[in-house]
């Protein structure tokens, strides 16, 4: 939707569920040694727009939507990287049972790693503080007054719909209360419709996308 839907006017792209695992996996190493980030090639490919299909380089957009599985709870939240304002806005569908402090603590690795990731690809520049270059962590904002789940297994569909309403610039129009069961059926029908359309029309989602294997092969060929 973010890449091909002409009705979406916000400059936005997404990550996948693997992104969060990579961020958490390298967090401690980056805290100890900032050069550790350059060695995590897969993570660096995300902001370059090279890791996923239908992605856009982060230098060309204003927002990144990130599905985040919390480390302590088996619960999904939506992280919204606001590139211009250098902050993460967090959408949690279960504020009653998962408190603010837990959410803030859970996304600290993202708040620390992402600015270094942006500097690594020369999108952001370090700031000078007392003559020393520093890369400040992102500000974490918690978004309240949003529809909440009432069934423990609904967090995934809430994350998807938060992202969809944000991309369409109408978060305020998201129904409250929100019927997750109906939305699951709607999402299933949309995926089926899209799959059938691809079969009948015979097209690929992103024909110009090169897989990581293809890119590595081309780089190796150039070296020869």
């Amino acid at each position: 939707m973010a890449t091909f839907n002409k009705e979406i006017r916000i400059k936005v792209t997404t990550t996948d569920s693997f992104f969060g695992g990579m961020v958490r996996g390298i967090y401690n190493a980056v805290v100890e040694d900032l050069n550790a980030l350059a060695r995590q090639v897969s993570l660096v490919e995300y902001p370059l727009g090279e890791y996923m299909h239908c992605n856009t380089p982060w230098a060309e957009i204003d927002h990144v939507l990130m599905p985040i599985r919390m480390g302590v709870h088996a619960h999904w939240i939506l992280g919204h990287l606001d590139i211009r304002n250098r902050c993460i806005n967090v959408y949690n569908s279960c504020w009653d049972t998962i408190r603010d402090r837990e959410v803030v603590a859970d996304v600290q690795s993202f708040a620390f790693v992402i600015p270094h990731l942006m500097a690594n690809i020369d999108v952001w520049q370090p700031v000078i503080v007392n003559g020393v270059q520093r890369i400040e962590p992102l500000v974490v904002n918690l978004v309240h007054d949003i529809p909440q789940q009432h069934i423990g297994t609904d967090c995934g569909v809430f994350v998807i719909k938060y992202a969809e309403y944000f991309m369409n610039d109408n978060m305020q129009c998201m129904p409250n209360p929100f019927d997750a069961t109906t939305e699951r059926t709607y999402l299933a029908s949309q995926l089926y419709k899209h799959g059938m359309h691809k079969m009948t029309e015979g097209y690929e989602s992103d024909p110009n996308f090169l897989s990581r294997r293809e890119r590595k092969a081309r780089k190796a060929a150039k070296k020869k």
Side-chain angles (χ1 to χ4, degrees), residues 24-120:
R24 287 199 173 94
I26 202 171
Y27 171 57
N28 290 329
V30 174
V31 170
E32 296 179 2
D33 178 12
L34 298 180
N35 294 320
L37 189 61
R39 297 192 290 270
Q40 176 54 278
V41 177
S42 297
L43 185 59
V44 175
E45 287 179 340
Y46 277 93
L48 294 174
E50 296 178 352
Y51 192 84
M52 297 168 53
H53 284 275
C54 304
N55 232 192
T56 306
W58 295 10
E60 300 174 10
I61 47 93
D62 299 323
H63 308 278
V64 182
L65 300 177
M66 305 174 289
I68 299 172
R69 187 181 187 277
M70 295 187 67
V72 176
H73 301 276
H75 176 66
W76 289 92
I77 56 179
L78 178 68
H80 159 220
L81 170 62
D82 186 332
I83 293 177
R84 289 188 176 184
N85 294 310
R86 300 198 179 194
C87 64
I88 295 180
N89 302 312
V90 182
Y91 296 76
N92 174 22
S93 61
C94 203
W95 288 121
D96 286 344
T97 56
I98 301 177
R99 303 302 181 185
D100 290 3
R101 64 179 181 275
E102 296 178 281
V103 176
V104 172
D106 195 83
V107 299
Q108 284 307 306
S109 56
F110 294 83
F112 184 85
V113 171
I114 288 176
H116 291 281
L117 191 59
M118 299 295 276
N120 185 269

Side-chain angles (χ1 to χ4, degrees), residues 163-183:
E164 184 177 345
Y165 276 92
F166 177 86
M167 284 194 298
N168 285 283
D169 197 22
N170 60 354
M171 274 299 300
Q172 70 280 1
C173 296
M174 187 172 177
N176 194 4
F178 178 78
D179 188 347
T181 301
T182 299
E183 289 301 329

